[in-house]
Amino acid sequence: MRKQIAAANWKMNSTYQQGEKLMDEILGARIKLTPDQLTIFAVPFPYLLMGRSEVAEEKNYHVAAQNCHHKKSGAFTGEVSAEMLHSIGVAYCVVGHSERREYFGETNAQVAEKIDQCLQNFITPLFCCGEALDVREAGEQNNHVALQLRESLFHLTAEQMKGVIIAYEPIWAIGTGKTATTAQAQEMHAHLRSILSEQFGQSTADQVSILYGGSVKANNARELFGCPDVDGGLVGGASLVGAEFVQIIGALKK
Ligand code: PEP
């Protein structure tokens, strides 16, 4: 079975102390993950070491950075490189989140470079893609995500592609309380997998976890994660509420 993943994206929320308490609460629920399940906490940079020590004794629980720079190193004041993340033992990094694309002007080409930086530094990138509302209303969502994959992932080898996690996040569903229907999610995830299959072969496509993101909550996670091509979720708002996120982890396929 492909890895089933519950990934929390805290964004720019919570103080260090609140974050520590939240992780204590979630880990304190003692949800035992199967070997095919993972939980990943994408926390703000200053909390990565705290997060690492929180999950140190927990099997299949990890921390992720929410971003990294697309260059190896240099005069980029305020930025953080994949190499720096690796040097403190971070093994996952969110790349190309729609908020980074929208507010920080990240392009598909830069996202491709970030993917390379991650892979060169033994970090699994959690690559985000997804369409805005106007794109969906124009019926262009499949072409839109196909272009995102083509421009950011198609330079990889099949072997490298197996080391990438994809998160499909329709922008109109992020933080809006509006969720894609299970039919919409399954249709898009199957489309993404077929693109991967065409480019990298079926066996690679079958091994890549594709998460759904966009207002995943405790009350819709099981239904969404139950879709054959949905391998868990990338969760924003609901990941900041311990009891909610615990239920979301519990909704992963077994
Ligand atoms: C996200 O931050 O990637 C996200 C999906 O947020 P939310 O769950 O709040 O919609």
Side-chain angles (χ1 to χ4, degrees):
M1 178 154 94
R2 281 187 291 274
K3 293 280 181 221
Q4 304 296 305
I5 303 168
N9 178 14
W10 291 4
K11 313 192 188 193
M12 196 174 74
N13 290 301
S14 92
T15 62
Y16 183 96
Q17 290 76 12
Q18 288 165 339
E20 198 171 34
K21 197 161 157 253
L22 179 59
M23 285 190 85
D24 282 344
E25 186 184 344
I26 294 164
L27 296 169
R30 302 244 134 270
I31 303 193
K32 260 210 156 319
L33 301 176
T34 69
D36 290 325
Q37 293 178 328
L38 290 181
T39 294
I40 301 172
F41 297 93
V43 303
F45 289 129
Y47 310 166
L48 282 166
L49 284 180
M50 173 274 285
R52 268 207 66 204
S53 76
E54 285 274 332
V55 300
E57 305 295 316
E58 310 287 339
K59 223 174 160 30
N60 294 350
Y61 285 83
H62 300 273
V63 292
Q66 296 175 12
N67 180 37
C68 66
H69 196 262
H70 55 283
K71 297 293 180 205
K72 182 174 161 41
S73 62
F76 301 106
T77 302
E79 291 295 321
V80 172
S81 70
E83 189 178 39
M84 290 173 184
L85 296 173
H86 174 59
S87 73
I88 59 162
V90 172
Y92 295 87
C93 182
V94 177
V95 166
H97 192 280
S98 59
E99 288 154 14
R100 302 245 16 125
R101 294 173 187 265
E102 184 178 350
Y103 305 131
F104 302 95
E106 279 185 15
T107 62
N108 289 341
Q110 284 172 341
V111 173
E113 288 187 75
K114 288 179 189 225
I115 297 269
D116 290 343
Q117 284 302 319
C118 285
L119 294 176
Q120 281 162 24
N121 287 286
F122 312 98
I123 291 172
T124 300
L126 221 156
F127 165 80
C128 302
C129 60
E131 80 288 353
L133 185 60
D134 58 333
V135 174
R136 176 149 294 252
E137 283 175 350
E140 280 299 313
Q141 65 273 16
N142 285 2
N143 292 335
H144 182 85
V145 296
L147 184 70
Q148 289 179 316
L149 264 60
R150 190 160 354 121
E151 294 191 345
S152 298
L153 298 177
F154 275 21
H155 64 290
L156 301 178
T157 63
E159 221 34 54
Q160 287 174 318
M161 188 61 225
K162 288 179 197 164
V164 176
I165 297 166
I166 293 181
Y168 166 63
E169 299 204 305
I171 297 169
W172 46 270
I174 297 180
T176 58
K178 220 176 178 183
T179 318
T181 62
T182 49
Q184 286 171 323
Q186 171 54 29
E187 192 185 347
M188 178 56 86
H189 283 228
H191 172 60
L192 291 167
R193 209 175 297 288
S194 77
I195 296 171
L196 294 179
S197 168
E198 247 173 61
Q199 177 67 14
F200 300 103
Q202 191 62 49
S203 133
T204 299
D206 285 341
Q207 290 175 60
V208 174
S209 298
I210 307 180
L211 318 187
Y212 167 80
S215 297
V216 173
K217 308 277 178 220
N219 64 12
N220 59 23
R222 195 168 294 277
E223 209 187 335
L224 285 161
F225 298 172
C227 298
D229 284 294
V230 177
D231 306 310
L234 178 57
V235 186
S239 74
L240 295 166
V241 182
E244 278 261 330
F245 195 60
V246 163
Q247 287 187 61
I248 291 170
I249 299 170
L252 290 173
K253 274 195 214 81
K254 286 208 168 76

